[in-house]
Amino acid sequence: AFFSMAIVLLPTLYTYLYYTCPKEESFDVRKELKRVLRGYHLSDDHPDKPKGYLESVMARAVASVTVESTVLTGYNLELTSYRGAFILVKLKLPSKEMEVYWIG
């Protein structure tokens, strides 16, 4: 039963992932890095997530300045496509000694 379900579901899942996977050219380093640095993906109860309007504005300003200075000093971007089903992005920032990963 499991094997027959896998025979049907795996190709269907792969087809769905293949057609919904974003193109490598659509990845914007600055935009995604700003989201990470300002805490966009953090849960609401995370201590590093900005709370309130003033903290949010400050986090955006700090993220913008940090991203622009980091991009000017250089970064290493690796995009790895897994048969078109999804893309793993690895961004190394030597100036901040930081590595960030995305799955798209």
Side-chain angles (χ1 to χ4, degrees):
F2 177 74
F3 184 70
S4 60
M5 283 182 50
I7 288 177
V8 172
L9 291 179
L10 287 178
T12 305
L13 177 64
Y14 175 77
T15 303
Y16 173 76
L17 290 173
Y18 181 81
Y19 284 107
T20 59
C21 183
K23 302 292 179 208
E24 290 182 6
E25 298 84 28
S26 69
F27 184 77
D28 184 7
V29 173
R30 288 184 169 138
K31 182 178 86 171
E32 296 300 330
L33 192 54
K34 283 180 187 180
R35 282 183 172 179
V36 169
L37 293 177
R38 71 176 186 238
Y40 177 80
H41 296 293
L42 297 175
S43 62
D44 290 334
D45 59 346
H46 195 279
D48 292 336
K49 178 129 181 158
K51 294 164 183 55
Y53 178 74
L54 186 58
E55 284 186 30
S56 177
V57 169
M58 289 302 294
R60 285 182 181 174
V62 168
S64 293
V65 170
T66 303
V67 166
E68 294 305 322
S69 65
T70 301
V71 168
L72 288 175
T73 58
Y75 60 89
N76 184 10
L77 179 66
E78 294 178 26
L79 293 143
T80 308
S81 177
Y82 290 90
R83 301 221 179 243
F86 65 94
I87 298 173
L88 177 66
V89 179
K90 179 180 176 183
L91 179 65
K92 285 185 180 181
L93 306 169
S95 63
K96 295 202 49 94
E97 298 178 5
M98 183 175 166
E99 282 188 10
V100 187
Y101 297 88
W102 287 270
I103 298 176

